[in-house]
Amino acid sequence: MKTAITPTRAENFSEWYQNLIVAADLAENSPVRGCMTIKPYGWAIWELMRDEMDKRIKASGVQNANFPLLIPIDFFNKEAEHVAGFAKECAVVTHHRLKMIDGQLQPDPDSKLTEPYIIRPTSETIIGDAMARWVQSYRDLPLKLNQWVNVMRWEMRPRMFLRTSEFNWQEGHNVFATAQEAHEDARKMHKIYGDYMRDVLAIESIMGEKTPEERFAGADHTYTLEHIMQDGKALQAGTSHNLGQHFAKSFNIQFLGTSGKLETAYTTSWGTTTRMMGSLFMVHSDDDGLVLPPFVAPYQVVVIPIVREENQDTLNTYAEKVGEQLREKGIRVLVDTSDMRSADKMWKWIKRGVPIRIEVGSREMDNQAVTVTRRDLGKSSQKTIDIKNLSDDIQEMLQTIQNDMLEKVKKRNLEMITNVSGLDELDNMLNDGKIGFFRLKYEHTLDSKFDDLMEKHKISRRCLDDNDPNYVFVAKSY
RNA sequence: CGGGGUGUAGCUCAGCCUGGUAGAGUGCUUGGUUUGGGACCAAGAUGUCGAAGGUUCGAAUCCUUUCGCCCCGACCA
């Protein structure tokens, strides 16, 4: 059978992924090295994801703000571990003016900055600096801030949505009076992310704490959400850090406590990025293109009139009427009356992952009916239904699709996780080509033989098992 | 940043070895026949051959430099 995307997932997963992005019109490589252009259809998905995330973040008591893109290099220097983590991938602004020299615009040597700026790879430092001023008393705490911005990390090996030099994200930064509150907050944001990914993206995350080897530079504890891709590899889709007093000490975030003594605060930071889109695409899509969960589908339903010349006008009117009926219920609908062959329209919207396709032709019009097909199930789900209760039926169907997609992922996750008793068993399974996550005692991975296995099989520790932190998940990753 | 590959029409690519002034398929436009899971016929438009320099009467082709992209590593949301 001919698939819309070639090669298929089974033939070459990473090439399939790239072609998927092109076929679904999500993004393209830009003229700027390592940076992508997110196209309107891709951005529409992000806006839906972002708006829902923003709602949930605000509901947890966080306020949005906006901090500068440029960070004084000196700020960055204040937290040693943090510097070590990011120094290798920073873009640096060194001049503030261009000059025409030999017919070429160049940075004007006379405009060299005495102190260069870093384009933010993350904003702990500049937000820490502000917090030091904003936090004076225990009454100012907790202070919870978030910003939706772009950041830049000079990546050596970019891949669209998964790892680009510039990416969009939200970064939250909270300050607390006590270690306990900071601990609870890091866990709370972690859970909010997990719920979001389950409810909105229809993805069940593998959640847990990063091992000391893998945690964020400058954090005491890093909690991660790992997603299992269809090829068994891991993708980190979000993190929440308990930064302890590292940044509070470096930036003097201090307050007068109830006892009248000056105390040092505790901070957390937590983020999710456009990488979640990469996960969304890789987790759900198939060999015919994108498959979107209804929650984040720019169009939840596409109505395609199967027109013939003689009935074009009446049929388009009927299609619009169907679309209008659905819109009244708040369903996002596109009635595609564009000048294309209907078969081409179908494939276009299949590739773009619209959850429900409604076809209307003269047969349906005569019977006051429509033919519906679910994207996640394909042609076998095609059925003709009466339009009498259409908007209710479609709404219910959208909910079912959302649920079914999650269940499918949960089921696949279970199949993708293998318990192993020790390093020899792990080695054997990987030698046999077994893919997915492997769960084993964390202490086994402290054996030097595990370092050899990591090298040999390109695996890494993803996170500890939240249900039993004596165990760790190990996998190949993106 | 190291190893390998690659850059020619919107897209996928041939042509390069052996220098002689640009090709195919697909897509696009127009007309016609079609239309319920990727139609067919006919006509037509489209290129600084990634960029810069060099060799040459002449460079997509040979040489040098440089940039991007892809794959495999190291690094990471």
Side-chain angles (χ1 to χ4, degrees), chain A residues 365-384:
Chain A
M365 188 166 57
D366 294 345
N367 298 321
Q368 291 293 294
V370 296
T371 297
V372 299
T373 312
R374 277 173 60 167
R375 174 63 184 88
D376 62 322
L377 299 179
K379 205 180 175 183
S380 62
S381 66
Q382 199 159 24
K383 62 181 181 184
T384 299

Side-chain angles (χ1 to χ4, degrees), chain A residues 118-153:
Chain A
I118 298 167
I119 299 178
R120 62 180 163 222
T122 179
S123 306
E124 270 78 4
T125 59
I126 197 153
I127 294 181
D129 173 73
M131 284 171 161
R133 275 175 283 115
W134 298 352
V135 174
Q136 298 288 325
S137 145
Y138 72 92
R139 293 192 183 88
D140 298 323
L141 296 175
L143 176 62
K144 301 183 180 186
L145 301 172
N146 178 61
Q147 64 173 355
W148 287 96
V149 294
N150 54 348
V151 291
M152 173 154 274
R153 298 177 187 176

Side-chain angles (χ1 to χ4, degrees), chain A residues 4 6-7 14 21 25 32 70 76 97 148 153 183 226 243 251 322 375 403 413:
Chain A
T6 46
S14 61
I21 286 165
D25 206 32
V32 185
L70 301 181
F76 219 69
R97 189 164 62 208
W148 287 96
R153 298 177 187 176
H183 168 76
E226 302 284 326
L243 303 172
F251 289 88
V322 169
R375 174 63 184 88
N403 294 343
N413 279 1

Side-chain angles (χ1 to χ4, degrees), chain A residues 107-247:
Chain A
D108 182 348
D110 294 334
S111 72
K112 192 150 190 253
L113 299 172
T114 45
E115 192 182 359
Y117 290 109
I118 298 167
I119 299 178
R120 62 180 163 222
T122 179
S123 306
E124 270 78 4
T125 59
I126 197 153
I127 294 181
D129 173 73
M131 284 171 161
R133 275 175 283 115
W134 298 352
V135 174
Q136 298 288 325
S137 145
Y138 72 92
R139 293 192 183 88
D140 298 323
L141 296 175
L143 176 62
K144 301 183 180 186
L145 301 172
N146 178 61
Q147 64 173 355
W148 287 96
V149 294
N150 54 348
V151 291
M152 173 154 274
R153 298 177 187 176
W154 207 265
E155 292 296 342
M156 290 304 149
R157 196 180 162 195
R159 316 187 63 173
M160 285 212 266
F161 290 106
L162 305 183
R163 196 186 305 98
T164 46
S165 289
E166 180 191 17
F167 58 93
N168 291 270
W169 74 344
Q170 58 72 209
E171 49 175 323
H173 300 267
N174 296 350
V175 204
F176 299 90
T178 64
Q180 181 62 21
E181 286 174 282
H183 168 76
E184 281 166 14
D185 186 65
R187 300 292 309 202
K188 177 180 155 190
M189 298 321 295
H190 188 228
K191 182 174 186 309
I192 286 174
Y193 287 159
D195 292 346
Y196 169 88
M197 289 172 193
R198 184 184 311 109
D199 302 345
V200 179
L201 307 183
I203 299 172
E204 185 71 27
S205 308
I206 308 303
M207 297 175 65
E209 180 171 356
K210 283 282 186 194
T211 63
E213 301 83 5
E214 303 283 338
R215 83 179 147 226
F216 180 72
D220 278 353
H221 300 276
T222 289
Y223 304 97
T224 180
L225 297 100
E226 302 284 326
H227 290 177
I228 309 180
M229 302 298 109
Q230 293 186 58
D231 62 352
K233 288 196 195 171
L235 184 69
Q236 183 174 344
T239 51
S240 177
H241 312 291
N242 179 355
L243 303 172
Q245 292 185 311
H246 292 235
F247 287 87

Side-chain angles (χ1 to χ4, degrees), chain A residues 4 42 55 71 78 81 101 109 127 199 210 220 255 285 314 380 399 414 422 442 461:
Chain A
K55 218 164 89 184
I71 298 178
K78 289 185 179 172
E81 280 184 63
I101 302 172
I127 294 181
D199 302 345
K210 283 282 186 194
D220 278 353
F255 62 98
S285 300
T314 49
S380 62
Q399 190 56 55
L414 286 178
Y442 175 58
R461 300 178 188 89

Side-chain angles (χ1 to χ4, degrees), chain A residues 281-333:
Chain A
F281 305 150
M282 280 204 287
V283 164
H284 294 302
S285 300
D286 64 22
D287 295 335
D288 280 333
L290 199 61
V291 181
L292 288 172
F295 208 126
V296 293
Y299 302 117
Q300 296 169 310
V301 176
V302 60
V303 181
I304 298 175
I306 312 289
V307 296
R308 291 168 191 277
E309 216 166 290
E310 64 273 14
N311 66 7
Q312 195 171 332
D313 290 345
T314 49
L315 201 51
N316 280 341
T317 307
Y318 182 67
E320 291 287 2
K321 192 183 109 187
V322 169
E324 205 42 53
Q325 191 181 338
L326 297 172
R327 276 190 204 104
E328 280 168 16
K329 280 275 178 172
I331 297 168
R332 296 188 290 271
V333 187

